[in-house]
Amino acid sequence: MTTQREIAEQLGLPVHPPKVEVFDLVANTNTDPKGHVRTVTHYAREPFGLYLARPMPGHPRIAAFESWLLPGLGLRVTRWYWHPGHEDDVDFYLDVADVEPGERQWRTVDHYLDIVVRDGRTAELLDVDEFVIAVRAELLDPETAERAMRRACAAVDGLARHGYDLPKWLRANGIELSWRGQPVQDPVPDQRTLPPSR
C-alpha cells in the first residue's frame, strides 16, 4: 500500500518532518533545522518568552532577523531585515510551533502553519496545504495537529479583532515585545522601515 508521504513525494509536494531548532543561551548559538550552528548576536529572556537576534550570512534575500519565541501562544514572531532590492511586503512573520523553554537551551518544533502580518492591513495564513499533507502523512499526530490549528486560528482571529495590529493583540495577552533593530555591525543600506514598537 502506498503511503501519503510516498504520494506526496511522487507528486512533488512539500513534505518533511517538523523542523526543529535549538537556541543555546550559554553558547550564544542557534542550531537551524538543517543542523547548521549560527552565532546569535543577542538573547534576552522575559517571563513570556525569549528574544534573539542574528545576522543571516550568505542568505540571498535576508540580511538579519529578530525573533521572539512565545511558549504561551505557541508562536515564533519574526521581523526580517532585507538586502537592498529584495524587500518584501511583510511586517511580521509568525511560525506556529511548540516552544519548549529551558534554563540553558530553548527548542522549537515547527508545525508547518505560518502567518504573514501586514501591519494594520492583513494577516494571511500560509502553508495550509503543506500542513494537510503532513497530517495525512502522519508527520503530525492528531493532538498536535489540532493544537497547531487552534493556535493559528486564535492568532488570525485575535489579529483581526485588533485591526491587524500585532503589538496591540499581544498586549491584550499580557505580552509587550521590544525590538533592538538590525543585529549586524553595519546596517543594510536603504533597508525597509519596519513599524515602530508600540
Side-chain angles (χ1 to χ4, degrees):
M1 180 176 177
T2 307
T3 67
Q4 292 299 325
R5 179 196 290 262
E6 290 168 339
I7 292 170
E9 288 173 350
Q10 288 168 7
L11 295 174
L13 297 172
V15 59
H16 56 78
K19 294 177 180 176
V20 176
E21 288 195 56
V22 176
F23 307 87
D24 192 314
L25 281 61
V26 177
N28 277 331
T29 59
N30 168 208
T31 304
D32 72 16
K34 294 181 179 177
H36 299 123
V37 179
R38 312 293 189 185
T39 299
V40 172
T41 305
H42 188 78
Y43 276 122
R45 222 187 309 218
E46 293 290 342
F48 55 76
L50 179 70
Y51 168 87
L52 70 140
R54 72 169 176 85
M56 294 188 68
H59 196 284
R61 299 184 62 213
I62 303 168
F65 72 85
E66 301 177 90
S67 285
W68 278 96
L69 311 181
L70 305 175
L73 297 177
L75 295 174
R76 174 180 180 170
V77 179
T78 299
R79 290 183 7 162
W80 289 324
Y81 294 89
W82 308 97
H83 289 298
H86 294 279
E87 297 82 358
D88 202 347
D89 186 24
V90 174
D91 294 306
F92 300 99
Y93 195 89
L94 281 56
D95 293 277
V96 177
D98 280 341
V99 180
E100 304 165 5
E103 283 302 310
R104 298 170 59 89
Q105 289 187 345
W106 286 47
R107 184 173 176 266
T108 59
V109 181
D110 186 84
H111 292 152
Y112 302 92
L113 298 170
D114 302 310
I115 302 164
V116 168
V117 180
R118 296 175 179 90
D119 194 47
R121 295 176 290 151
T122 63
E124 181 183 358
L125 182 62
L126 304 178
D127 300 328
V128 174
D129 54 346
E130 189 175 349
F131 173 80
V132 170
I133 291 167
V135 172
R136 293 184 66 188
E138 298 180 354
L139 295 171
L140 293 178
D141 61 70
E143 181 183 339
T144 302
E146 181 178 348
R147 181 169 68 251
M149 186 55 74
R150 287 186 183 278
R151 285 171 172 169
C153 291
V156 172
D157 179 64
L159 286 161
R161 285 185 288 105
H162 290 85
Y164 302 107
D165 183 327
L166 179 73
K168 188 175 179 182
W169 172 59
L170 291 175
R171 212 172 288 123
N173 285 278
I175 297 171
E176 185 78 45
L177 302 185
S178 60
W179 304 95
R180 289 177 168 258
Q182 175 92 17
V184 293
Q185 288 183 338
D186 299 315
V188 175
D190 304 319
Q191 67 179 331
R192 185 170 182 276
T193 302
L194 293 169
S197 302
R198 286 183 277 246

